[in-house]
Amino acid sequence: MNTPPDEIATALPHRRHIVSLMTIALGHAAIGVALWLQPERWFNTPSYANLLSVASTEVWGSVYLAVSAVMLLAVWRRRNRFLVVTAHTAGIALVGSWLIAFFVRYLTDDGTTIVNVVSWATFLAILARSAIIIDDDLGTEQVPAGESNE
Amino acid sequence: MTDTPPPNDPTTHLVPARSFGRRRIAFNLLTVAAAFLGVGTSLLLQPDRWNRAAGYANLLASASTITWGSIYVAVALVMAAAVWRPTLRVVAVVAHTAGIALSLSWLIGFVVRYLTNDATTPLAVLAWGAFLAALIRSAIVLDDGYEPVALIHRRKAP
């Protein structure tokens, strides 16, 4: 074994939250670009009427791109705890607000499906999971003394 | 939490931490299973909502909402079974294979619809892309639950 055990211990949790954060960051970037470049598609779909009455596609697109940029920055500077916490907080706030809007729309409009509710709930679960494991270290995964691990 | 001794401490030895992979599989599979159960239940109980939405026309032309709903619920149940019985490798492999096949087929359907219909947004493409990514990630770490993925210090027996 060439790699020191302590290095292994700190590498695993970081890798786990990076995968989650990268996935959501790329999704947010794609939504932001689509909101900027294809606003008519969003106006044509009834599911987004609530959200687009609160802010324009340009504003929502900018918010998504900004949050995505912070998340990518947090992946790049993963040891900077302030940046990582900011990225998760912004992501959870944005996804949570859209989830509530989709849920309200689903309950009040028979022309919408549950897909957006399910999708944003999944994004929220991934972000929440990522936030929970930030502070994980190998110590929390250790087998209690005296318990067989073989 | 146990204090981590220095690497060369002669009173300790390294043992594999086997719980990482299983916990990661459980989270990803449970998340996607819950989503699939929601979609499947909605397809079975609210077919009119799906038939009215433009984004699902391609998929509902190939099979009815009842058929798709049944498939989603069945795959969700297999995934839940895989989480419930993590040591049964065949159930885990079947759950991942079925989930990836279903996600991929719907993802392709959404991509085609997005490219051919100006009234659809990329949200469904992204959502099913995220489901697929979560399942692929889960499949990659599947064997981590059965093989050592990290070494931890443990006190040697006196």
Side-chain angles (χ1 to χ4, degrees):
Chain A
M1 175 67 64
N2 296 326
T3 313
D6 290 346
E7 206 169 297
I8 298 169
T10 52
L12 279 168
H14 287 143
R15 271 174 47 194
R16 282 192 294 171
H17 97 255
I18 280 173
V19 172
S20 303
L21 209 52
M22 275 285 280
T23 306
I24 300 296
L26 293 177
H28 277 26
I31 292 170
V33 171
L35 279 161
W36 264 102
L37 302 181
Q38 301 172 319
E40 71 286 349
R41 286 184 183 250
W42 298 80
F43 285 121
N44 286 343
T45 312
S47 304
Y48 315 116
N50 287 6
L51 290 159
L52 296 182
S53 67
V54 173
S56 67
T57 52
E58 287 82 4
V59 172
W60 280 123
S62 304
V63 170
Y64 267 97
L65 287 175
V67 172
S68 174
V70 174
M71 286 179 179
L72 291 174
L73 204 59
V75 169
W76 185 44
R77 295 285 187 205
R78 61 180 182 275
R79 307 276 175 185
N80 187 333
R81 198 175 184 281
F82 175 76
L83 204 54
V84 173
V85 171
T86 303
H88 282 85
T89 307
I92 288 172
L94 181 57
V95 172
S97 60
W98 273 51
L99 175 61
I100 291 168
F102 284 137
F103 193 60
V104 170
R105 190 72 184 178
Y106 173 71
L107 294 177
T108 56
D109 182 358
D110 285 345
T112 56
T113 65
I114 204 168
V115 163
N116 283 334
V117 176
V118 167
S119 305
W120 257 255
T122 304
F123 296 157
L124 191 60
I126 292 173
L127 273 176
R129 166 78 171 167
S130 175
I132 288 168
I133 63 176
I134 289 173
D135 290 329
D136 266 7
D137 58 32
L138 201 59
T140 59
E141 306 286 351
Q142 282 182 349
V143 177
E147 186 176 316
S148 174
N149 196 36
E150 297 299 327
Chain B
M1 185 188 301
T2 312
D3 291 334
T4 305
N8 298 322
D9 185 347
T11 65
T12 68
H13 65 138
L14 293 170
V15 296
R18 292 177 184 275
S19 62
F20 282 116
R22 282 184 199 168
R23 282 175 55 183
R24 278 188 288 171
I25 292 165
F27 174 76
N28 282 358
L29 266 188
L30 266 183
T31 306
V32 178
F36 278 17
L37 194 61
V39 171
T41 307
S42 174
L43 277 161
L44 288 172
L45 301 181
Q46 302 171 319
D48 49 318
R49 286 182 184 247
W50 293 82
N51 288 322
R52 247 181 275 160
Y56 315 111
N58 286 6
L59 292 159
L60 297 182
S62 59
S64 68
T65 52
I66 307 293
T67 307
W68 281 123
S70 305
I71 292 171
Y72 267 100
V73 170
V75 173
L77 290 177
V78 175
M79 286 178 179
V83 173
W84 185 45
R85 294 285 187 215
T87 50
L88 285 179
R89 198 173 183 281
V90 65
V91 179
V93 171
V94 169
H96 283 86
T97 307
I100 288 171
L102 184 57
S103 302
L104 190 59
S105 60
W106 271 53
L107 178 61
I108 292 168
F110 286 134
V111 169
V112 170
R113 189 72 184 173
Y114 175 70
L115 294 175
T116 56
N117 186 343
D118 286 345
T120 56
T121 64
L123 285 196
V125 175
L126 293 173
W128 261 256
F131 295 154
L132 189 60
L135 283 173
I136 289 173
R137 169 77 175 162
S138 176
I140 288 170
V141 300
L142 179 65
D143 289 330
D144 287 359
Y146 305 93
E147 300 294 332
V149 295
L151 297 175
I152 60 174
H153 284 283
R154 193 165 166 223
R155 294 278 169 200
K156 280 180 178 170

